[in-house]
């Protein structure tokens, strides 16, 4: 007998010992007796149709596409404040650093067609869910282990090399980049800023750098943010490491796939999921 969508959501949460789905993770169309799944980083209307046409019992996405996972998405930004305060950033400074991001996410969710993809799944009666924050938290812990495993006098370049040995990052067509700083910078205190819904941009990295953090890890960052940070911190010994969006997301989603297959669910991976699973 297969699993329900609720059980599959819980399996993703169990990877990080959580009990409740966060605001960015939702069962859009529930299902029972699930024995096969199409799993991807982004599964939207065409992929939902593909899952239906190919007879998959579930379409399982990483990124949120609709309903509460978009409308309530700003709630997950609380995690970014927690990350910053854990590294000594005052709470008021951390809140200010994410204020613009909160506003943009709120406006974006309010203006988006949050019914588009879920309504297609409903019409097809195709079970459909996404799990976002928990797999990302799994990936964050992997990155944290890499940072913590380096010597006290490690350099930023050595951190990049160690990250590049993670199977998903090693197999990806993208590579780990130093967007700010030089390989011979002292690694120092590392803030792994992943599993906060999205990257924090220049304002969050700035808050870290101004309160004692030497190296910030993002999985993606915009060109404008990079330019601003290079101008402010390029010659200060501070470092911004960017690991690559899809390969980094694949770390957690591959763990979800492994856990599902252990429970007897046959999974096929597309849309970035599955990167590095053969390594």
């Amino acid at each position: 007998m297969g699993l329900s969508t609720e059980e599959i959501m819980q399996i993703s949460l169990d990877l990080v010992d959580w009990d409740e789905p966060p605001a960015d993770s939702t069962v859009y169309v529930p299902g029972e007796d699930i024995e096969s799944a199409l799993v991807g980083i982004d599964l939207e209307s065409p992929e939902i149709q593909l899952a239906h046409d190919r007879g998959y019992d579930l379409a399982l996405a990483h990124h949120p596409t609709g309903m509460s996972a978009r409308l309530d998405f700003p709630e997950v930004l609380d995690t970014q404040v927690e990350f910053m305060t854990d590294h000594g950033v005052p709470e008021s400074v951390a809140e200010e650093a994410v204020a613009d991001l909160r506003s943009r996410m709120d406006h974006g969710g309010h203006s988006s067609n949050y019914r588009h993809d879920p309504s297609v799944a409903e019409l097809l009666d195709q079970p459909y869910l996404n799990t976002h924050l928990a797999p990302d938290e799994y990936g964050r812990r992997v990155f944290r282990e890499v940072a913590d495993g380096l010597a006290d006098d490690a350099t930023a370049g050595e951190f990049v090399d160690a990250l590049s040995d993670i199977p998903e990052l090693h197999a990806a067509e993208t590579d780990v980049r130093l967007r700010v700083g030089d390989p011979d910078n002292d690694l120092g205190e590392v803030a792994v800023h992943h599993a906060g819904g999205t990257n924090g941009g220049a304002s969050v990295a700035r808050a870290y750098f101004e309160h004692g953090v030497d190296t910030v890890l993002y999985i993606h960052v915009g060109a404008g943010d990079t330019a601003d940070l290079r101008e402010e911190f390029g010659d200060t010994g501070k470092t911004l490491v960017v690991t690559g969006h899809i390969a980094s997301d694949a770390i957690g989603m591959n763990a979800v796939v492994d856990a599902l297959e252990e429970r007897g669910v046959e999974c096929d991976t597309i849309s970035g999921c599955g990167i590095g699973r053969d390594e």
Side-chain angles (χ1 to χ4, degrees), residues 224-236:
D225 292 319
T226 295
D228 289 345
L229 291 167
R230 283 177 177 169
E231 183 175 352
E232 293 180 62
F233 300 102
D235 297 323
T236 64

Side-chain angles (χ1 to χ4, degrees), residues 128-147:
Y128 177 44
L129 70 85
N130 90 282
T131 179
H132 189 226
L133 200 64
D136 279 355
E137 171 62 16
Y138 181 93
R140 186 189 71 83
R141 295 180 187 183
V142 170
F143 292 147
R144 186 73 259 171
E145 288 179 3
V146 172

Side-chain angles (χ1 to χ4, degrees), residues 158-196:
E158 289 171 333
F159 186 36
V160 168
D161 291 342
L163 290 167
S164 300
D165 287 336
I166 295 171
E168 288 82 357
L169 303 190
H170 184 264
E173 294 183 28
T174 54
D175 52 12
V176 182
R177 298 282 186 89
L178 288 179
R179 292 296 189 188
V180 178
D182 299 313
D184 58 354
N185 283 359
D186 290 336
L187 185 61
E189 181 177 349
V190 179
V192 178
H193 198 84
H194 180 34

